[in-house]
Amino acid sequence: MTTAPAKPVRTRFAPSPTGYLHLGGARTALYSWAYARHFGGTFVLRIEDTDLERSTPEAVQAIIEGMEWLGLSHDEGPFYQMQRMDRYREVVAQMLEAGTAYHCYSSQEEVEAMRERMRVAGEKPRYDGTWRPEPGKTLPAIPADRKPVVRFKNPLDGEVSWDDFVKGTITIGNKELDDLVIARPDGTPTYNFCVAVDDWDMEISHVLRGDDHVNNTPRQINILRAIGAPLPLYGHLPMILGADGQKMSKRKDAVNVMDYPAQGYLPEAILNYLARLGWSHGDDEVFSMEQVCSWFDGTHLSNSAAQFNIEKLNWLNNHYIKQADDERLASLAQPRMLAAGAVFDGAPALPAVLALMKERVNTVNELADAAMLFYRAPQPDAALMAQHLTDAVKPALAQFAGRCATVAWTKEALAAMIKEVLAANTLKMPQMAMPLRLIVTGQLQTPAIDAVLQIFGRETIVARLAKFL
Ligand code: GLU
């Protein structure tokens, strides 16, 4: 699909609210969204909540929150299938009327028995058509007290074929397909039927979804044909495998999108990562969502399963952290730091600290943890202190402390002053930098000492030095 589609592009994301927004679902949503944006179309959110046992309002909320966090805004919806029951019933009635569906009075047990017979005979188990009306056929007597299901009158011959824009042409023989139950004895419609009616009513032009739905597509196409609906184009995305090459599972993989903000990932990193996981634009690895929308035309979608790679996600997250506004990073890091006991009163401004420390971190959580050194009283280990604060170094540090009172408080001036003190005392940089770090921060690993000193400010440095000299 390289050319612009003829009809207005309308895509949808149609999650079943049975848990949380899954990484694979988020990628489907992203691709559907980007495709609609690319063609100036409409992106619809539809909640497929007809499985009453597994659907929950919390899960709906979790999906909507996840989409919002990612910034995948929908133009229409959310539409809830449970609120469309009248419409499904109406279409079932129309199909019964038109003869494209029929009442079937076979009991569950009878259907099971016919399936078993076929299995034994080495055939594909399916409904045997007992109640399927055909010209000249006499149907059995309607059993008393039994409520019928409604079955779709699937074509008996021929095949269903579609040009999947991820997988190429897929063809399934109608003989492979059952006369699907579209309404249960209590009148409630079934899954594939609802999807077909919705895609019709919502005028969906392109369906992008996981390839676990490939088997549903021929059934939905047949129903759409039977109700006289235009067919959308379909693209089925291969699944995302875990880092171990196996199916992702919540036991071993972070599959819930909303686990990522909690772990300190930025939405732009997740989006970039997901965009590239199954789609490519040349050799590009880093792209904004504006670029994705301008490039995402349904081509260059990968037909093989993608494998989750946390190193790559971390690399992207580091990239976006480096790019991120420091005020924004501060608002993300602060709650975690407060929980860890950070004291912000009288301490350096958090955005400046984060700017200094963000080069090498993979997550905002790592950044918050690293920044803690500016927000808690230093408690240098006594043994380490004895090791680094030697008699040879003390006079130099005393000089340094003395000059702190008057030196211009810039990184450059502080660096120059340290150099002069080192030269005057014939010391090497680490000999002074290590005890200085310990005294000022309580730890040996810090960003460049001149930058650390500068950010703490004259008063704090002078006070902390005074305790040891
Ligand atoms: N509700 C289905 C799911 O969550 C998606 C259906 C579709 O995209 O057609 O897997």
Side-chain angles (χ1 to χ4, degrees), residues 12-17 28 46 48 191 195 199 207-210 212-213 220:
R12 87 299 198 277
F13 177 49
S16 304
T28 301
R46 177 166 91 217
E48 301 200 328
Y191 174 73
V195 172
D199 285 341
V207 171
L208 272 162
R209 60 186 172 200
D212 46 333
H213 288 281
Q220 293 173 13

Side-chain angles (χ1 to χ4, degrees), residues 163-436:
D163 283 330
D164 193 282
F165 57 94
V166 181
K167 294 184 177 284
T169 304
I170 299 182
T171 305
I172 314 260
N174 273 321
K175 288 207 160 39
E176 300 287 310
L177 304 173
D178 228 339
D179 275 1
L180 198 71
V181 173
I182 60 172
R184 301 185 185 90
D186 66 0
T188 56
T190 58
Y191 174 73
N192 279 297
F193 174 73
C194 297
V195 172
V197 175
D198 287 351
D199 285 341
W200 180 29
D201 285 352
M202 296 167 199
E203 298 179 67
I204 299 303
S205 63
H206 296 78
V207 171
L208 272 162
R209 60 186 172 200
D211 65 3
D212 46 333
H213 288 281
V214 165
N215 286 337
N216 290 327
T217 304
R219 303 173 207 283
Q220 293 173 13
I221 288 178
N222 279 341
I223 293 172
L224 287 164
R225 284 198 174 121
I227 57 185
L231 297 185
L233 292 172
Y234 293 91
H236 289 91
L237 304 162
M239 65 164 115
I240 303 175
L241 300 175
D244 55 1
Q246 306 296 313
K247 198 170 183 282
M248 271 197 146
S249 82
K250 65 174 169 206
R251 193 174 41 76
K252 55 185 178 65
D253 305 292
V255 288
N256 177 358
V257 168
M258 290 315 278
D259 283 346
Y260 287 90
Q263 290 173 18
Y265 288 87
L266 298 179
E268 51 269 50
I270 301 290
L271 286 169
N272 189 149
Y273 182 70
L274 289 177
R276 184 67 192 80
L277 201 63
W279 172 78
S280 60
H281 181 265
D283 292 329
D284 294 337
E285 293 295 344
V286 178
F287 24 70
S288 67
M289 283 310 107
E290 288 73 32
Q291 287 170 318
V292 172
C293 291
S294 80
W295 295 330
F296 198 95
D297 62 358
T299 63
H300 304 292
L301 285 162
S302 167
N303 189 10
S304 45
Q307 195 159 328
F308 186 77
N309 178 338
I310 190 72
E311 280 84 33
K312 190 159 169 202
L313 174 58
N314 284 340
W315 177 77
L316 282 168
N317 207 43
N318 165 263
H319 168 83
Y320 285 106
I321 286 174
K322 284 191 286 193
Q323 298 227 315
D325 178 65
D326 297 323
E327 297 282 347
R328 172 183 172 211
L329 291 175
S331 68
L332 294 173
Q334 200 170 28
R336 181 178 172 88
M337 295 177 71
L338 282 172
V343 178
F344 289 97
D345 244 14
L350 186 52
V353 166
L354 300 185
L356 177 66
M357 311 199 78
K358 68 185 189 175
E359 280 299 311
R360 278 188 295 270
V361 297
N362 285 334
T363 66
V364 178
N365 289 6
E366 275 179 39
L367 182 58
D369 295 347
M372 282 299 287
L373 72 88
F374 287 92
Y375 302 96
R376 64 182 159 216
Q379 289 175 322
D381 177 80
L384 273 181
M385 195 56 111
Q387 184 193 332
H388 289 281
L389 188 60
T390 58
D391 288 343
V393 178
K394 272 185 186 162
L397 278 180
Q399 275 172 30
F400 173 81
R403 292 184 63 174
C404 274
T406 52
V407 69
W409 206 259
T410 65
K411 223 173 83 172
E412 296 69 27
L414 282 162
M417 193 262 272
I418 292 173
K419 267 203 189 128
E420 285 165 25
V421 174
L422 287 173
N425 292 272
T426 47
L427 291 172
K428 296 227 161 15
M429 187 60 165
Q431 288 173 286
M432 221 173 103
M434 288 309 186
L436 251 182

Side-chain angles (χ1 to χ4, degrees), residues 35-113:
Y35 192 77
R37 292 288 171 270
H38 179 84
F39 289 108
T42 303
F43 175 55
V44 177
L45 177 60
R46 177 166 91 217
I47 305 291
E48 301 200 328
D49 55 354
T50 54
D51 184 342
L52 292 181
E53 266 162 37
R54 296 178 62 223
S55 303
T56 64
E58 293 77 28
V60 172
Q61 212 32 52
I63 288 163
I64 290 177
E65 251 173 50
M67 301 274 289
E68 270 170 12
W69 181 67
L70 291 169
L72 299 178
S73 51
H74 51 274
D75 308 301
E76 287 181 20
F79 298 111
Y80 293 84
Q81 288 188 324
M82 282 311 289
Q83 293 172 11
R84 290 177 40 78
M85 287 296 145
D86 289 349
R87 171 63 181 149
Y88 305 134
R89 286 201 170 91
E90 179 182 53
V91 179
V92 169
Q94 284 165 0
M95 290 175 76
L96 284 169
E97 178 73 25
T100 51
Y102 60 92
H103 284 126
C104 162
Y105 293 86
S106 301
S107 68
Q108 280 272 334
E109 298 72 41
E110 284 165 351
V111 171
E112 256 323 300

